[in-house]
Amino acid sequence: MPTAEDVAARIARLLEDKPRTFYEVLRQLGDVEYRTILQAWGALRERKRLGRDAEGYYLLKG
């Protein structure tokens, strides 16, 4: 089972590729428990790595 840090790295790679909605991120992580995804998302938010574009899609900040 992947750790929250593993999943945070996966989310970062997804958002480096292109901005996405939270739902799009969830769909790409179908093999991960929802709780772990939320923990990973929270870790990225705490590090202030998540941003949004003009359309509201999530993206990775530098």
Side-chain angles (χ1 to χ4, degrees):
M1 187 156 56
T3 67
E5 284 303 314
D6 296 334
V7 177
R10 283 178 64 184
I11 293 171
R13 285 192 301 274
L14 287 169
L15 295 177
E16 284 174 345
D17 182 40
K18 69 176 188 174
R20 299 174 191 264
T21 65
F22 184 71
Y23 180 70
E24 289 172 323
V25 172
L26 287 179
R27 299 231 1 174
Q28 294 293 317
L29 300 171
D31 61 316
V32 180
E33 290 182 7
Y34 187 66
R35 177 178 167 82
T36 305
I37 294 169
L38 292 180
Q39 290 170 335
W41 194 264
L44 290 171
R45 287 181 58 105
E46 283 179 9
R47 295 180 200 139
K48 303 194 185 312
R49 297 289 320 274
L50 297 176
R52 287 200 170 188
D53 66 10
E55 288 83 36
Y57 289 84
Y58 287 98
L59 50 82
L60 196 63
K61 294 196 281 187

